[in-house]
Amino acid sequence: LLRILLPAVAIGMVVIIVGLNWQSTKSISQTAQMDLQAETEKNAGVLSTPFQKLLSVYGQYADTIERLNFPSLDEIVDYIKPSATWSPLKNTGIYLAFEEGGARYADGTVVPKEVSLKDREWFKNAVANKEKNFVVSEAYKDLLSGELCVTYSRRVDLPDGSMIVMGVDIFLADLQHEVADLTPMVNGTSIIMSKNQMIVYPDSSANGSPISKLNSPYINALRDFGWSDAKHTIELKDDQGNKVYVAKA
């Protein structure tokens, strides 16, 4: 739900695609296609709101850290502490990673300086983003919980000329459950994918898998449509040969 759904905040991760299987008819009316598009946009808006809210607030934290000359790192950590318990959706709270190594978490966790983070993709991508937008990682399984999650990271330039990276890990289990419960226009299904990865699919074993490894012409076609500039509902055939109407938002 991101490049297409949320261009204003440049999240850039996933696109929601809604399919309908109309086996009893040869085609559906223009009105039904418009209804499908409208419901897709409504569902996408509901699903995106917690992401928008969290990244907006955490972006304000980053902007404040850039503007104010905090006397010490400990005071910056005190400032971000409320993020550890603020939860429009399940997340780690803010953590701050340093070029010289180590990190400090809002919940008090300390990663020692001997642990270098600057070669991690989320760190490098944030540093490279001069516009200081939050950059999202591919989804991965959290080592402790086993849940699928993503990391959002953003470059923060401090008043003293140094640079840190702000990060937050967002867990996707609630999103997966919410999407799985959506049945657009009674008999439809909802799918969330990134450009390279399946995030939520009716067959949950595909969640988190690279699209290239799913070996599905149907999924490839969904991905191509989802990341195209097309604005209209299209007709596809799924891997069983069933006619499917697809909308995106």
Side-chain angles (χ1 to χ4, degrees):
L1 58 148
L2 296 175
R3 183 177 72 92
I4 296 169
L5 177 61
L6 301 176
V9 292
I11 301 177
M13 183 186 72
V14 284
V15 53
I16 182 168
I17 299 175
V18 181
L20 280 179
N21 187 347
W22 293 73
Q23 298 182 12
S24 61
T25 60
K26 293 183 179 179
S27 62
I28 64 174
S29 69
Q30 186 70 27
T31 299
Q33 292 185 44
M34 292 173 64
D35 289 343
L36 173 59
Q37 182 65 47
E39 186 161 1
T40 300
E41 292 175 1
K42 181 191 74 173
N43 290 345
V46 170
L47 294 171
S48 72
T49 295
F51 287 85
Q52 289 176 302
K53 183 182 296 185
L54 185 142
L55 293 178
S56 175
V57 170
Y58 286 4
Q60 292 173 29
Y61 274 104
D63 292 340
T64 300
I65 292 170
E66 285 194 326
R67 288 196 308 268
L68 298 184
N69 192 8
F70 286 84
S72 67
L73 176 59
D74 287 339
E75 294 205 16
I76 296 178
V77 174
D78 285 341
Y79 172 64
I80 65 172
K81 273 184 180 178
S83 72
T85 55
W86 185 69
S87 185
L89 68 172
K90 186 178 177 182
N91 71 99
T92 58
I94 292 170
Y95 51 87
L96 306 174
F98 312 108
E99 286 186 290
E100 64 272 20
R104 299 282 298 272
Y105 280 73
D107 67 1
T109 301
V110 177
V111 178
K113 286 186 176 181
E114 292 73 25
V115 178
S116 176
L117 300 171
K118 65 181 181 180
D119 291 329
R120 307 287 177 92
E121 287 299 314
W122 57 266
F123 192 104
K124 292 192 293 185
N125 291 338
V127 172
N129 191 300
K130 304 301 184 183
E131 296 180 353
K132 302 180 184 178
N133 295 318
F134 277 100
V135 181
V136 66
S137 72
E138 292 288 351
Y140 60 93
K141 282 192 175 181
D142 178 63
L143 290 176
L144 295 178
S145 68
E147 287 186 47
L148 203 64
C149 61
V150 290
T151 296
Y152 287 89
S153 54
R154 197 200 116 155
R155 176 189 180 115
V156 179
D157 292 315
L158 300 179
D160 65 4
S162 63
M163 185 274 301
I164 60 177
V165 169
M166 174 182 287
V168 56
D169 301 336
I170 296 178
F171 299 92
L172 302 178
D174 289 344
L175 175 68
Q176 290 174 320
H177 293 150
E178 191 171 359
V179 172
D181 289 340
L182 293 175
T183 53
M185 297 184 71
V186 182
N187 65 344
T189 58
S190 299
I191 299 166
I192 293 183
M193 60 172 65
S194 73
K195 199 170 186 179
N196 301 308
Q197 190 177 30
M198 184 60 67
I199 307 300
V200 187
Y201 195 65
D203 176 3
S204 61
S205 66
N207 293 348
S209 298
I211 290 172
S212 61
K213 293 186 177 181
L214 294 175
N215 299 316
S216 166
Y218 170 58
I219 290 175
N220 289 340
L222 290 176
R223 187 267 315 279
D224 292 344
F225 170 60
W227 292 86
S228 72
D229 293 328
K231 305 294 185 183
H232 55 279
T233 301
I234 65 167
E235 178 183 316
L236 295 174
K237 286 191 175 180
D238 65 18
D239 290 330
Q240 289 72 47
N242 299 312
K243 184 186 296 183
V244 176
Y245 289 87
V246 181
K248 67 176 182 180

